[in-house]
Amino acid sequence: MSVFREVTLAAPVAVFKLTEDFNNDPFPDKVNLGVGAYRTDESKPWVLPVVKKVEKIIAHDDRLNHEYLPILGLPEFRSSASKIVLGDDSSAIQEDRVGAVQCLGGTGALKIGAEFLKRFYNGNNNTKTPVYVSAPTWENHNDLFISAGFEDIRPYSYWDAEKRGLDFSGFLGNLESCPERSIFVLHACAHNPTGTDPSQEQWKQIAEVMKRRKLFVFFDSAYQGFATGSLEKDAWAVRYFVSMGFEMFCAQSFSKNFGLYNERVGNLTIVARNSDLLKRVLSQMEKIVRITWSNPPTQGARLVAVTLNSPDLFAEWKDNVRTMADRVLLMRSQLKAKLRTLGTPGTWDHITNQIGMFSFTGLNPKQVEYLIKEKNVRWQRDADSTAV
Amino acid sequence: MSVFGEVPQAPPVAVFKLTADFREDSHPVKVNLGVGAYRTDDCQPWVLPVVKKVEHLIVQDDGLNHEYLPILGLPEFRSAASKVALGDDSTAIKENRVGAVQALGGTGALRIGADFLRRWYNGVNNTATPVYVSAPTWENHNGVFTDAGFKDIRSYHYWDAANRGLDYAGLLHDLENAPEHSIFVLHACAHNPTGTDPTQEEWKAIAEVMKRRKLFPFFDSAYQGFASGDLDRDAWAIRYFVSEGFELFVAQSFSKNFGLYNERVGNLTVIARDGDNLSRTLSQMEKIVRTTWSNPPSQGARIVSKTLNSPELFAEWKENVKTMADRVLLMRDQLKTKLVGLGTPGTWDHITQQIGMFSFTGLNSKQVEYLIKEKHVYLMASGRINMCGLTSKNMDYVAQSIHEAVTNVQ
């Protein structure tokens, strides 16, 4: 009699299952349009040249050791990571009211932020505060906030399937009608999975409502630099909100823009009204980190810190990022052109209007199934659309 | 008006605060016997030679990339790590009922195990199942299980302060009286903070009670190899329990025995009755990992995996581990000899009887305060010292300081 006999078999995570099926497929011309990682034109993973360079520097630096990092992480990583998203000239940083927690990728940053908010936001242990995530959103957002203890995860209107664009009035409607102090998870740029971002004017309106209705801003920033090729452009929304005086969290991932997926490099940037509050917040974050992973892993954070803090390496990195962003833009442009030439029914402007790694093609589940089964092209199934 | 207006300042973690105070101390002869990390005889951190070698191999290998690991981690790391704990000849492994989750150090392994048990053990979401931790224990055990949702964390008798040894009768008594199905966190070897382990005979008796009363063994194994210098010896208790047919968890840390503290290399080894129960359990652990860190970091696991899976590197690693263990044993021996030589009141046999990185000196909090304030010798308020902080150069000073503390302060 096993103590585990009542344990049910959990369904696999969809995106990993997709890649597993792809790997098992013997068809010579198979294509994987599923998992969100960069591929070269040869369809291979790409270790950024600057990363390879810095890895060698680190391996040969005999002054480095493996002593525990502080609970909140490598200080030079945390500060340079926050600077990357908020800008070199950030007054919030100058005012000493920006802090950070080095985390395990974007997931870890969201997790620590969610755990903190559950304990301390809108009362103590107020698990009833509504958490709004976009419809659709990254499949892990929902479960993540639930695992942190929140009981009320709601969707906010986002994707308009008919017009294949942002349902802006729906979005604003949710912002106006939700309970005050609700938490909103916003995608900083390159929305996953739709690739559809608000325009600057739309962000301004979103911010106005959020400020008026005291909603909490929790940015998920996984594609800075990767979306347009410009770090500044991709951080515009985050910086705008900071300039509007919001207190907020920003979960940053360096998985994609550094290609460091498996070293789990993330940063939870915190903007508070002043440094005293920040200090108290960080002290509580330490407690949460301590009982989760104790202190974070070094390798990835060192790589990023060394790169961001050296002018030459930083320039080289920006170049590598542009290489990736440019290839994606080229593929978007070529795919649309080909579909047009083939006379494929429908409009395909959204392929080039959308931004970042993903495109919501507008193909329906039957069409997706056809592609997978008959054409050995693998990609995500969603309720009524597909992500490429 | 801030949304953070009501957030109170949290106190710092004691052991990190101690090291921070030590750093700020400008006294020339200061000694840090606090945080649990190995130091050389020059009081420096030590990157194991085999680690440096493997790091170079990894950085030169252009066949490697940074693609996401599977959620449960690097497969060759997980299997090699479980094998180190259970033995090459483990029948449980051959019977395909051993699995593992690569986790963020020992902490991460405990966390995933605790999160799983709260959801699935002794009923579904049974937060009332008592969790027993030793008195005393590593200061983070309580917090990890509490945050996983368990409402009833209790202590089991362990340290007998009067006799400076194991309160064996008390331990057995608690096992006999714990509610059935209670979870017990057991230190596989080199108990933290007391350095006092049950003997093999005592472990057998513990296992007998636990089996009879259906108690769940959750081993915390942070010092395998580091305690006695011998991997198999340090894993004896775990292997005994497995051979007795228990289903159990082992939270393994490679922070100390690989000196890879900051790469967060851990492994939760899971032993189930059969492969089917195992695979269901692992599937649920995937869900927990996905909402915690999604998938684990690669670097440390690659280093450990490469080392364990290569006969030459494995042999070299065992040598490096023995170097650390031997230095600790030498320091224990010398400290006791010095204290006896100084005629310091009391008995000091426990210094050499205890095992692993730590020694529960038996010093009281006043004596500890004296050592920190007057002698600039930093140790935990409990009287716990890290033997690795001792060196041939500071040995006399520390022994003399302890002597003064014991004779001047009561």
Side-chain angles (χ1 to χ4, degrees), chain B residues 165-349:
Chain B
L166 180 66
D167 179 1
Y168 181 55
L171 207 183
L172 280 184
H173 176 266
D174 288 335
L175 289 170
E176 290 284 6
N177 289 283
E180 284 197 349
H181 303 294
S182 294
I183 295 162
F184 271 74
V185 179
L186 308 170
H187 297 232
C189 71
H191 182 271
N192 177 4
T194 69
T196 300
D197 294 337
T199 62
Q200 288 186 4
E201 285 314 302
E202 288 167 342
W203 273 123
K204 287 178 178 174
I206 291 165
E208 190 275 322
V209 183
M210 290 188 74
K211 187 186 267 198
R212 181 167 30 85
R213 311 216 58 258
K214 305 178 178 47
L215 307 174
F216 186 85
F218 197 151
F219 276 103
D220 184 343
S221 175
Y223 301 100
Q224 189 186 0
F226 202 101
S228 67
D230 181 324
L231 292 168
D232 300 306
R233 207 149 17 139
D234 290 348
W236 186 87
I238 295 171
R239 296 176 190 185
Y240 178 75
F241 272 67
V242 175
S243 73
E244 286 296 294
F246 282 88
E247 292 179 302
L248 55 92
F249 287 172
V250 185
Q252 304 170 260
S253 168
F254 293 90
S255 292
K256 280 84 177 174
N257 58 16
F258 261 86
L260 280 172
Y261 309 92
N262 72 7
E263 298 294 1
R264 316 310 293 123
V265 200
N267 195 50
L268 177 70
T269 286
V270 175
I271 298 165
R273 182 108 24 260
D274 55 52
D276 179 63
N277 277 292
L278 177 71
S279 58
R280 281 181 282 112
T281 297
L282 290 177
S283 77
Q284 292 296 345
M285 294 209 172
E286 271 199 16
K287 287 192 71 171
I288 296 167
V289 169
R290 179 68 171 158
T291 58
T292 313
W293 54 66
S294 213
N295 44 81
S298 177
Q299 179 73 355
R302 265 182 185 155
I303 293 170
V304 172
S305 170
K306 241 178 135 53
T307 305
L308 296 183
N309 285 313
S310 145
E312 290 94 28
L313 295 170
F314 183 56
E316 194 177 334
W317 172 59
K318 285 196 286 187
E319 273 296 309
N320 290 172
V321 172
K322 201 158 173 314
T323 297
M324 295 190 285
D326 285 351
R327 196 178 99 65
V328 168
L329 289 166
L330 181 66
M331 293 299 100
R332 286 186 179 279
D333 197 63
Q334 289 186 354
L335 180 60
K336 175 174 125 179
T337 304
K338 298 259 174 211
L339 290 172
V340 169
L342 286 167
T344 309
T347 54
W348 299 100
D349 289 336

Side-chain angles (χ1 to χ4, degrees), chain A residues 1-10 13 16 37 39 45 47 52 55-56 59-60 62 65-69 71 104 107-108 111 116 119-120 138-140 143-144 147 247 249 255-256 259-264 271-273 277 279-281 283-284 287 290-299, chain B residues 1-5 7-10 13 16 37 39 45 47 52 55-56 59 62 64-69 71 104 107-108 111 116 120-121 138-140 143-144 147 216 247 249 255-256 259-264 271-273 277 280-281 283-284 287 290-299 302:
Chain A
M1 268 273 285
S2 169
V3 301
F4 306 125
R5 62 192 177 283
E6 306 290 324
V7 179
T8 57
L9 185 70
V13 177
F16 288 87
R39 291 287 177 270
V47 177
K52 210 69 195 124
E55 281 174 333
K56 294 202 161 79
H60 291 107
D62 290 325
N65 60 43
H66 285 296
E67 294 303 290
Y68 287 121
L69 287 182
I71 297 177
L104 279 280
T107 301
K111 169 78 172 175
F116 174 89
R119 285 160 174 68
F120 292 108
W138 180 47
E139 125 284 332
N140 206 17
D143 288 339
L144 210 146
S147 87
E247 292 181 302
F249 289 170
S255 293
K256 280 85 176 173
L260 281 173
Y261 309 91
N262 72 8
E263 299 295 0
R264 317 310 294 122
V271 184
R273 198 152 311 301
L277 292 158
K279 207 163 122 293
R280 287 189 265 132
V281 168
S283 76
Q284 293 295 346
K287 287 190 69 171
R290 178 70 171 157
I291 43 90
T292 312
W293 55 65
S294 213
N295 43 82
T298 288
Q299 179 72 357
Chain B
M1 263 289 284
S2 167
V3 301
F4 305 127
V7 178
Q9 175 77 22
V13 175
F16 289 89
R39 291 286 176 269
V47 177
K52 208 76 195 121
E55 284 173 329
H56 283 265
V59 84
D62 289 324
L64 297 174
N65 59 42
H66 285 296
E67 295 303 291
Y68 287 121
L69 286 181
I71 297 178
L104 278 281
T107 303
R111 183 61 204 240
F116 174 88
W120 297 105
Y121 175 72
W138 181 46
E139 125 284 332
N140 208 17
V144 168
D147 202 63
F216 186 85
E247 292 179 302
F249 287 172
S255 292
K256 280 84 177 174
L260 280 172
Y261 309 92
N262 72 7
E263 298 294 1
R264 316 310 293 123
I271 298 165
R273 182 108 24 260
N277 277 292
R280 281 181 282 112
T281 297
S283 77
Q284 292 296 345
K287 287 192 71 171
R290 179 68 171 158
T291 58
T292 313
W293 54 66
S294 213
N295 44 81
S298 177
Q299 179 73 355
R302 265 182 185 155

Side-chain angles (χ1 to χ4, degrees), chain A residues 347-359:
Chain A
T347 54
W348 299 100
D349 289 335
H350 56 287
I351 305 263
T352 46
N353 289 339
Q354 289 162 6
I355 194 169
M357 197 178 274
F358 304 113
S359 175

Side-chain angles (χ1 to χ4, degrees), chain A residues 150-318:
Chain A
F150 285 100
E151 299 176 39
D152 189 0
I153 322 289
R154 308 180 184 186
Y156 59 87
S157 295
Y158 198 84
W159 175 247
D160 183 333
E162 256 189 69
K163 68 172 217 223
R164 284 185 194 166
L166 180 66
D167 178 5
F168 186 54
S169 56
F171 189 174
L172 278 185
N174 288 139
L175 291 171
E176 289 286 6
S177 63
C178 68
E180 282 197 350
R181 301 193 206 282
S182 295
I183 295 163
F184 270 74
V185 180
L186 307 172
H187 298 231
C189 70
H191 182 270
N192 177 3
T194 69
T196 299
D197 294 338
S199 64
Q200 289 187 5
E201 281 316 302
Q202 288 171 330
W203 273 123
K204 286 178 179 176
Q205 288 185 63
I206 291 163
E208 189 276 319
V209 183
M210 291 189 77
K211 185 180 258 205
R212 181 166 29 86
R213 308 213 60 253
K214 305 177 178 46
L215 307 175
F216 187 83
V217 177
F218 198 150
F219 272 109
D220 184 344
S221 175
Y223 301 100
Q224 190 186 358
F226 202 101
T228 62
S230 157
L231 293 167
E232 288 74 29
K233 254 202 259 194
D234 291 347
W236 186 88
V238 177
R239 295 177 191 187
Y240 178 75
F241 274 70
V242 174
S243 73
M244 283 283 115
F246 281 87
E247 292 181 302
M248 52 190 251
F249 289 170
C250 180
Q252 303 170 259
S253 168
F254 293 90
S255 293
K256 280 85 176 173
N257 58 17
F258 261 86
L260 281 173
Y261 309 91
N262 72 8
E263 299 295 0
R264 317 310 294 122
V265 200
N267 197 49
L268 177 69
T269 286
I270 299 145
V271 184
R273 198 152 311 301
N274 61 48
S275 64
D276 172 66
L277 292 158
L278 177 70
K279 207 163 122 293
R280 287 189 265 132
V281 168
L282 289 175
S283 76
Q284 293 295 346
M285 299 240 171
E286 271 198 12
K287 287 190 69 171
I288 297 168
V289 168
R290 178 70 171 157
I291 43 90
T292 312
W293 55 65
S294 213
N295 43 82
T298 288
Q299 179 72 357
R302 259 182 192 154
L303 281 164
V304 172
V306 169
T307 305
L308 296 183
N309 286 314
S310 144
D312 294 331
L313 294 170
F314 182 54
E316 194 176 335
W317 171 59
K318 286 197 285 186

Side-chain angles (χ1 to χ4, degrees), chain A residues 21-46:
Chain A
D21 291 345
F22 170 80
N23 289 336
N24 292 334
D25 186 339
F27 190 74
D29 290 335
K30 60 182 179 177
V31 184
N32 187 356
L33 301 179
V35 79
Y38 179 78
R39 291 287 177 270
T40 63
D41 198 55
E42 280 84 39
S43 212
K44 295 260 174 276
W46 193 47

